[in-house]
Amino acid sequence: MSLKNAYLETAAQAVALLDAPEVAASWEKPSALAHWTVGGLAGHLAYQIFSVDPALEGPGSEQEPISVLEHYARAVWIDAPLDGEINSGIRAKGEGISSEGVRPLRERVHATLDQQRSGLEEVHGDRVVFLPQTGWALSLDDFLVTRMVELAVHMDDLAVSVGLSAPELPGAALDPVVTLLTGLAARRHGQAAVLRALTRAERAPAAINVF
């Protein structure tokens, strides 16, 4: 399965979670994440799908793409304080998206995913996608991996927030997501720490975090 199809399957799982009545029932309540409401977290999850649309519009960028690991090495939001400007802005964007209401957001995310199913068929995975919010570019395939990571992480956040089980990622999505997260963890904590976390509980560090 291509990364494009893996993304579409993962996004469909996110849409199904957003459709869950438990999400609507808890919209205004605090989520499992500090400073987030359930609705704001739902808006942030939906944004991961909305953010793919600009990558499919117009010609591909002529800028040289960087690797996905370099993308995260440069990311200023990693390790930013929860009450800092960056995270406050991310929360405000999620809350802004959710402010349109449960039903309009569901309708919008369904329509967006339907359009992406046809739009992604027309582009190649090596298409270069410029990210104006960062100032650099990724290949479309790498960009979609970043979206799958975001979807996977925030589906878990949202599911836990409303008492549901997190969706099981399709294998075609799980492999690149785990590969990327493992690579980021090894770069941050070292190979030995990651290997011990996976195989030697008695010598494993207390936590292996990436973000």
Side-chain angles (χ1 to χ4, degrees):
M1 181 184 293
S2 70
L3 286 171
K4 292 187 292 183
N5 287 333
Y7 159 76
L8 288 170
E9 286 199 14
T10 307
Q13 290 181 318
V15 171
L17 178 58
L18 290 169
D19 283 340
E22 291 87 349
V23 173
S26 300
W27 201 254
E28 302 294 336
K29 296 178 181 178
S31 76
L33 296 185
H35 309 305
W36 286 89
T37 65
V38 167
L41 185 53
H44 186 60
L45 179 63
Y47 170 73
Q48 310 313 318
I49 298 172
F50 299 150
S51 67
V52 173
D53 279 354
L56 306 180
E57 298 169 355
S61 173
E62 295 183 359
Q63 186 169 331
E64 186 70 20
I66 64 172
S67 72
V68 70
L69 286 175
E70 178 63 19
H71 166 74
Y72 283 102
R74 297 183 186 184
V76 296
W77 55 266
I78 295 180
D79 292 330
L82 286 177
D83 57 353
E85 181 179 354
I86 293 174
N87 279 311
S88 295
I90 292 172
R91 288 194 296 272
K93 188 164 192 173
E95 296 288 351
I97 291 171
S98 71
S99 68
E100 59 192 79
V102 178
R103 182 173 294 178
L105 179 57
R106 286 174 174 173
E107 292 174 352
R108 182 182 169 197
V109 78
H110 274 276
T112 298
L113 184 56
D114 286 344
Q115 292 173 352
Q116 288 176 5
R117 287 191 175 98
S118 58
L120 282 167
E121 288 182 357
E122 301 173 2
V123 295
H124 295 288
D126 60 359
R127 175 188 179 89
V128 179
V129 177
F130 178 71
L131 308 178
Q133 69 272 27
T134 65
W136 57 78
L138 295 172
S139 71
L140 177 62
D141 276 349
D142 280 347
F143 178 65
L144 292 178
V145 172
T146 71
R147 298 308 86 192
M148 286 189 281
V149 167
E150 292 285 340
L151 289 169
V153 170
H154 295 304
M155 281 193 291
D156 183 50
D157 291 333
L158 185 58
V160 168
S161 297
V162 299
L164 296 174
S165 298
E168 292 283 327
L169 293 178
L174 182 63
D175 288 349
V177 166
V178 171
T179 297
L180 174 57
L181 291 176
T182 303
L184 293 173
R187 186 178 63 190
R188 169 174 286 198
H189 301 283
Q191 289 185 11
V194 174
L195 288 170
R196 289 167 184 168
L198 294 172
T199 63
R200 291 293 181 263
E202 69 275 13
R203 294 201 300 273
I208 293 288
N209 67 304
V210 175
F211 304 138

